Amino acid sequence: MYKSAIAALCLSTCVTGAMAQDLSSGKWIDLTHSFNADSVYWPTADMFTQTEVFAGHTDGGYYYSAYNFAAAEHGGTHLDAPVHFAEGAMSAEEIPISQLVGPGFVIDVSAQAGEDSDYLVSAEDIEAFEAEHGEIPEGAIVLLNTGRASLYPDRESYMGTAARGAEAVADLHFPGLGLDGAKLLVERGIGAVGLDTPSIDYGQSADFSTHVELMTNNISAFENVADMSELPPTGSMIIALPMKIEGGSGGPLRIVAHLPQ
């Protein structure tokens, strides 16, 4: 019964080209880093904390556990909602599911980023991908694989500095999406874009122009995405469901990929 329900849901909502993807078979890949005290947050943001309310056996004889957690919206694997950088744009709860679920297009720039920690994914990179795999369609979820996920959560290696506070921001070094690349993805009408670094803008950005370009066009970003090495360039289905915070500029994200058999 459960598998039949999943398959029926897939037939109505999960379409790659003209073919429905049967989610009751195939392979699932988790693209989410676990949230814990080591989760990577911006140097000025509050870190993730978890405190125990109760964990143990109760007087009633049954086991019970409960915890409180607190964190900034933007840290760990998370969503940047459009309102994060665009006044009046969609907040977290306003983003339609159709922009959070879609066919995955994975652009591998790990070789370039391995040589340059400040690498910017360019329109040329995207066009080279399209020349080989076809034009990225409207509604696609585009993931940029810089190869940085393997460095997470070592802040020094992953983001250039382990220091905290406003003064540490100047020492951030990690790849991002260039403005020309962002403009091309806006032209393509994608649903969302994600990458395996702390920000869709590269670490040395001072104007966050890529955020602004995407988000003024109501395109969300997924940041600190986990290891993408098992994903093919095309053919996956991406499901990225964030915490639905009313009025939120972002929030924790569980993002997974499904590969058909």
Side-chain angles (χ1 to χ4, degrees):
M1 177 69 73
Y2 179 75
K3 285 189 174 183
S4 297
I6 292 292
L9 176 63
C10 171
L11 288 172
S12 62
T13 62
C14 299
V15 178
T16 303
M19 297 296 292
Q21 206 172 102
D22 182 2
L23 303 185
S24 66
S25 61
K27 181 179 181 180
W28 289 96
I29 297 173
D30 195 343
L31 300 172
T32 313
H33 293 294
S34 295
F35 283 85
N36 54 43
D38 293 325
S39 294
V40 172
Y41 280 73
W42 203 250
T44 56
D46 290 341
M47 302 284 283
F48 180 89
T49 60
Q50 184 183 48
T51 56
E52 181 182 297
V53 177
F54 184 88
H57 291 276
T58 69
D59 292 341
Y62 54 86
Y63 178 82
Y64 174 78
S65 65
Y67 302 84
N68 292 328
F69 72 89
E73 290 177 318
H74 301 277
T77 305
H78 70 279
L79 164 79
D80 276 9
V83 75
H84 189 35
F85 274 85
E87 185 177 6
M90 291 187 297
S91 53
E93 87 285 7
E94 295 175 324
I95 302 168
I97 297 297
S98 60
Q99 287 185 233
L100 300 171
V101 177
F105 288 75
V106 184
I107 302 175
D108 188 345
V109 293
S110 56
Q112 300 94 310
E115 295 180 357
D116 180 5
S117 61
D118 295 323
Y119 188 74
L120 289 170
V121 181
S122 65
E124 184 176 352
D125 290 321
I126 297 168
E127 288 167 343
F129 173 89
E130 291 183 320
E132 184 174 355
H133 301 287
E135 184 171 302
I136 296 169
E138 184 176 347
I141 307 294
V142 176
L143 298 180
L144 308 175
N145 181 14
T146 74
R148 304 285 286 189
S150 63
L151 304 176
Y152 190 99
D154 184 329
R155 294 180 183 85
E156 185 79 32
S157 300
Y158 183 69
M159 61 194 303
T161 180
R164 301 279 299 153
E167 66 281 357
V169 174
D171 296 323
L172 294 173
H173 289 277
F174 52 79
L177 174 62
L179 179 58
D180 63 332
K183 288 182 175 180
L184 180 57
L185 293 179
V186 169
E187 288 179 17
R188 296 290 185 262
I190 66 166
V193 58
L195 80 175
D196 52 354
T197 77
S199 173
I200 199 72
D201 276 284
Y202 80 132
Q204 287 291 291
S205 177
D207 59 8
F208 298 94
S209 58
T210 292
H211 273 91
V212 173
E213 175 65 23
L214 293 170
M215 294 181 185
T216 54
N217 288 283
N218 271 322
I219 295 175
S220 301
F222 310 141
E223 297 170 338
N224 292 323
V225 177
D227 183 21
M228 305 178 204
S229 61
E230 291 188 72
L231 297 183
T234 63
S236 65
M237 176 64 65
I238 306 299
I239 301 173
L241 299 182
M243 187 174 179
K244 193 175 179 180
I245 302 173
E246 185 171 347
S249 70
L253 176 72
R254 187 68 181 265
I255 177 172
V256 299
H258 180 262
L259 301 180
Q261 283 185 324

